[in-house]
Amino acid sequence: MKHLLKLLDVTGEEILEILNLADQLKYETKHGIEHHRLKGKCLGMIFEKSSTRTRVSFEVGINQLGGYAVVLGAEGSQIGRGEPVQDTARVLSRYVDGIMIRTFGQDEVEALAEYGSVPVINGLTDFCHPCQVLADLMTVREFKGTLEGLKLCFIGDGNNMMNSLIVGGLKVGMAVSVACPEGYRPPQKILDFARQYDGFELTGDPMQAVKDADVVITDVWTSMGQEEERQKREAAFKGYCVDEKLMAAAKPDAMVQHCLPAHRGEEISADVFEANASYIFEEAENRLHVQKAVLVKTMGGE
Ligand code: CP
Ligand code: NVA
């Protein structure tokens, strides 16, 4: 795999290969088995948005693989002063062996890959969050034993998380239902992809979407960069809280996932969050293992 820019570029088989490698690396990590598969390699990390999990899991991950990271923020680098991504790509490619980027526009990530000569990994854009969804799928498979044939339901905003879950879930053979208010639906490109699959459902009714779901996932109503819309969004998403009433319509053994950070009392109730904490924090841990698998798949070391 050359890059990980979005799950639309990756096959279902490749997703499963990443998950298999992530499971293996998780086992090796837990058993103290050293795996310096990227010895001496440098990962450049660019952050134009805040991060806790992505930042730490990638940095710890590349270190556990025998490499190291250099971190660039928009502030404190020339990126924040407007240096074109095409130039940043060609410069960084001469110093580092791979680049992870978290930014706003998907076009910036695509340009980085086009103009640079090293693997590029998308650590979140407004359009998608592929690394997070790989960790979600890994976690679901860990707890449920399989992915194929399960029903995954996402309640909330047609944002980066919903987009990647639709694509990733459908590609690995899950049924995917999503509930979002009018005006907050996924972009046409995602809907065009999803409509090729019989197992896809889009509705404005959370109760309908969650019916018989094996996995229920939600995310913040206001994503990074949308802070000015917070009030408007709070009104639009009323009735979209994943709470006990909603969960009663899912399968009795349904599990809940949340990419974090979570806003209790908004997209998820405190009760449902705590009842599912063991799944949610395993999901957060799995970012580390999946990140390492993605680094190995893109930067060599298999
Ligand atoms: N879920 C996730 O990507 O978390 P961070 O924003 O903390 O990286
Ligand atoms: N949708 C959220 C995800 C954060 C990990 C955001 O983009 O802010």
Side-chain angles (χ1 to χ4, degrees):
M1 196 167 64
K2 183 133 192 262
H3 303 288
L4 178 60
L5 307 180
K6 53 187 181 300
L7 292 182
L8 282 171
D9 302 336
V10 182
T11 65
E13 207 169 298
E14 285 172 319
I15 293 175
L16 295 175
E17 280 172 20
I18 294 169
L19 303 192
N20 292 342
L21 178 57
D23 284 347
Q24 185 188 332
L25 294 172
K26 182 170 184 175
Y27 177 87
E28 291 177 7
T29 307
K30 300 272 181 202
H31 291 81
I33 303 168
E34 188 184 277
H35 40 231
H36 284 172
R37 291 164 176 246
L38 296 176
K39 197 163 193 291
K41 297 223 171 164
C42 179
L43 176 70
M45 305 207 287
I46 302 173
F47 286 97
E48 297 191 60
K49 287 177 175 170
S50 303
S51 171
T52 296
R53 281 144 287 268
T54 305
R55 162 75 203 262
V56 179
S57 59
F58 266 108
E59 185 158 351
V60 171
I62 186 74
N63 275 280
Q64 290 181 354
L65 291 166
Y68 61 103
V70 171
V71 185
L72 279 180
E75 254 177 65
S77 76
Q78 300 292 0
I79 296 165
R81 297 183 61 247
E83 182 165 13
V85 65
Q86 293 86 342
D87 296 355
T88 305
R90 285 176 283 189
V91 171
L92 290 186
S93 293
R94 290 168 186 253
Y95 303 144
V96 303
D97 303 292
I99 303 173
M100 191 289 307
I101 178 167
R102 166 170 287 199
T103 189
F104 295 86
Q106 180 69 19
D107 51 348
E108 204 177 317
V109 176
E110 306 275 345
L112 200 55
E114 188 186 339
Y115 284 86
S117 55
V118 297
V120 173
I121 299 166
N122 183 340
L124 180 144
T125 58
D126 294 343
F127 178 65
C128 63
H129 198 359
C131 292
Q132 178 68 53
V133 167
L134 290 171
D136 296 5
L137 295 176
M138 177 182 177
T139 313
V140 172
R141 194 171 72 161
E142 203 172 303
F143 283 99
K144 297 281 181 194
T146 183
L147 292 170
E148 204 173 350
L150 295 185
K151 177 174 173 179
L152 182 158
C153 166
F154 183 94
I155 305 286
D157 190 18
N159 64 9
N160 40 22
M161 278 304 297
M162 187 188 282
N163 293 344
S164 290
L165 282 165
I166 290 172
V167 176
L170 291 173
K171 282 195 174 187
V172 297
M174 301 175 92
V176 177
S177 66
V178 300
C180 37
E182 196 77 49
Y184 296 93
R185 294 185 162 182
Q188 198 55 44
K189 192 174 177 173
I190 297 293
L191 294 179
D192 289 344
F193 167 83
R195 292 214 162 103
Q196 302 172 82
Y197 292 80
D198 292 338
F200 177 69
E201 183 188 15
L202 167 68
T203 168
D205 179 2
M207 272 297 176
Q208 186 185 323
V210 83
K211 197 167 179 295
D212 296 328
D214 297 282
V215 188
V216 180
I217 309 187
T218 188
D219 183 22
V220 293
W221 294 338
T222 303
S223 285
M224 289 181 276
Q226 300 171 334
E227 288 77 6
E228 283 179 9
E229 298 174 24
R230 182 175 294 280
Q231 260 188 327
K232 194 177 104 190
R233 286 175 166 270
E234 272 173 23
F237 287 96
K238 224 163 174 268
Y240 282 76
C241 178
V242 175
D243 56 15
E244 278 178 352
K245 196 169 146 224
L246 195 69
M247 286 307 295
K251 285 222 181 107
D253 64 347
M255 62 187 277
V256 174
Q257 299 267 263
H258 194 307
C259 65
L260 304 175
H263 293 82
R264 292 164 176 78
E266 292 185 25
E267 77 275 4
I268 189 163
S269 71
D271 290 354
V272 168
F273 185 93
E274 288 308 330
N276 287 276
S278 57
Y279 301 125
I280 292 170
F281 292 104
E282 199 68 31
E283 174 190 12
E285 175 183 326
N286 285 341
R287 288 296 302 277
L288 171 67
H289 309 299
V290 145
Q291 247 73 123
K292 286 164 73 180
V294 170
L295 290 169
V296 168
K297 289 275 181 197
T298 53
M299 289 170 68
E302 276 206 270

